[in-house]
Amino acid sequence: MKPSATTAAARPMSRTGGSTKWGRLWKNRWLYALLAPGLLYFLIFKYVPMWGVLLAFQNFSPFHGFWKSEWVGFEHFRVFFTNPEFFMLLRNSLILSLYNLLFFFPAPIILALLLNEVRIALFKRTIQTLVYVPHFISMVIVASLTYVFLTTEGGLVNELLQQYFGFKISFLTSPEWFRPIIVLQTIWKECGFGTIIFLAALAGVDPEQYEAAIIDGASRWRQMWHITLPSIRSTIVILLILRMGDVLDNGFEQIYLLLNPLNREVAEVFDTYVYFMGITQGAFSYSTAVGLFKSVVGIILVIGANWTAKKFGQSGIY
């Protein structure tokens, strides 16, 4: 006898049929297996170490350990905010981030737009490979190359300046040259690799839009301005929001390798300050407080940028 529709509807779904929660989990078990290493990475290296921020509220002593060190509350934050170096660190970090935001952030977008206009596949792949390579070069090598080119003792650039103009410039020790060098290093090293996301977004643009624009007589620049850029606007906004979380995070290694006593007034940032205070001077709690301050500011900026993006009709990150 054939069961009625009501009886069939009341019958519980098979666990492995994919309709119930456990059934869907079992059906997609291999996808979750691929997800597991990433989850473990963030759990072990990102979330578990977050307990270490408690050091910022303690007068930590390795002899007393994590749980028996003296609790001092916000004392380290008070000392940090009243430190005369606080405003120097804040100024240097913000200026470097502003430079990167103005010059580095648009660079991958412009390069991706230019690459998207190349129609010869072999030439396009060759250029992409060449601009991707610097990303995989260690920052130590980049700093060494910078030294070889810009040092006053036999540096290529200074040798050319001496030969043609009769003078040399102390690029590596002059405070006014430090920030341009950092920005140029960042653009050279990361610009090509940063185009990957934008090229992927450009691959999703409907070709029929370009065909319609060509029929209407739009030039290549008009097509880029009215079709290409609006199509990747959401990607640009999301990356800009995420970028705001790194406003006070300028990268330790790059700054440290070019930092010296002669350019310290413009080169010292929160990242290098945390290293010098925490590692070289053993002020673990104080340096943790500085790092926590950076993180809190980053979270606030991300939330604020996301709220602003939504106010202007963009999707944001959540």
Side-chain angles (χ1 to χ4, degrees):
M1 181 176 179
K2 191 175 181 179
S4 64
T6 306
T7 306
R11 184 183 301 163
M13 290 290 193
S14 172
R15 275 194 150 188
T16 59
S19 298
T20 63
K21 179 176 68 174
W22 295 109
R24 289 192 296 271
L25 288 175
W26 177 254
K27 181 179 179 181
N28 300 312
R29 60 189 181 278
W30 298 117
L31 295 177
Y32 289 108
L34 291 173
L35 182 65
L39 290 177
L40 287 175
Y41 167 79
F42 280 98
L43 180 65
I44 295 173
F45 295 103
K46 300 296 182 180
Y47 286 96
V48 173
M50 287 178 66
W51 289 103
V53 301
L54 292 177
L55 266 67
F57 306 97
Q58 297 177 333
N59 189 13
F60 178 74
S61 170
F63 300 101
H64 294 97
F66 187 78
W67 301 109
K68 295 184 179 180
S69 296
E70 179 187 3
W71 188 269
V72 296
F74 291 92
E75 177 63 20
H76 296 300
F77 293 94
R78 185 193 65 79
V79 173
F80 176 55
F81 293 143
T82 56
N83 191 327
E85 293 187 330
F86 170 74
F87 290 103
M88 179 195 72
L89 298 171
L90 184 63
R91 181 188 70 247
N92 293 343
S93 299
L94 290 177
I95 291 177
L96 269 178
S97 294
L98 180 62
Y99 279 17
N100 282 322
L101 198 62
L102 290 177
F103 300 106
F104 169 66
F105 184 79
I109 302 174
I110 297 171
L111 182 58
L113 292 174
L114 295 176
L115 287 173
N116 189 59
E117 295 298 318
V118 177
R119 295 295 176 257
I120 304 175
L122 179 61
F123 180 70
K124 181 177 180 179
R125 289 196 297 268
T126 303
I127 296 299
Q128 285 180 281
T129 302
L130 292 175
V131 297
Y132 290 167
V133 168
H135 171 77
F136 301 99
I137 298 177
S138 168
M139 186 54 71
V140 176
I141 304 300
V142 175
S144 301
L145 291 174
T146 304
Y147 179 84
V148 169
F149 277 97
L150 300 181
T151 180
T152 55
E153 303 299 328
L156 177 61
V157 175
N158 272 309
E159 288 299 318
L160 292 175
L161 288 175
Q162 179 67 36
Q163 181 177 352
Y164 290 103
F165 301 101
F167 64 88
K168 294 183 178 182
I169 300 176
S170 301
F171 292 102
L172 300 178
T173 56
S174 299
E176 60 269 17
W177 282 102
F178 175 80
R179 290 164 182 154
I181 291 173
I182 291 293
V183 174
L184 289 174
Q185 279 186 344
T186 305
I187 292 174
W188 179 79
K189 189 175 187 299
E190 302 296 342
C191 179
F193 196 78
T195 61
I196 293 177
I197 295 178
F198 297 109
L199 287 173
L202 290 171
V205 181
D206 188 0
E208 293 183 358
Q209 297 185 45
Y210 293 107
E211 295 173 2
I214 293 172
I215 293 173
D216 291 339
S219 64
R220 297 288 285 271
W221 289 106
R222 287 289 183 181
Q223 294 173 41
M224 184 184 297
W225 183 258
H226 294 288
I227 299 176
T228 308
L229 280 175
S231 298
I232 64 172
R233 182 171 53 196
S234 59
T235 304
I236 296 174
V237 170
I238 290 174
L239 291 178
L240 180 60
I241 293 172
L242 296 176
R243 179 72 184 174
M244 297 305 296
D246 296 329
V247 165
L248 296 183
D249 188 3
N250 302 110
F252 164 75
E253 190 178 14
Q254 183 183 16
I255 306 295
Y256 178 75
L257 292 170
L258 292 180
L259 178 64
N260 57 65
L262 296 178
N263 62 17
R264 182 180 179 273
E265 61 179 293
V266 299
E268 187 82 273
V269 293
F270 288 110
D271 300 281
T272 55
Y273 185 71
V274 167
Y275 167 77
F276 286 122
M277 296 302 298
I279 303 299
T280 63
Q281 299 189 23
F284 302 113
S285 295
Y286 181 77
S287 59
T288 303
V290 178
L292 182 58
F293 164 74
K294 281 177 46 188
S295 301
V296 171
V297 172
I299 292 174
I300 294 173
L301 290 175
V302 167
I303 294 175
N306 188 76
W307 179 84
T308 304
K310 287 189 172 183
K311 283 294 183 181
F312 283 92
Q314 299 301 315
S315 57
I317 59 175
Y318 61 87

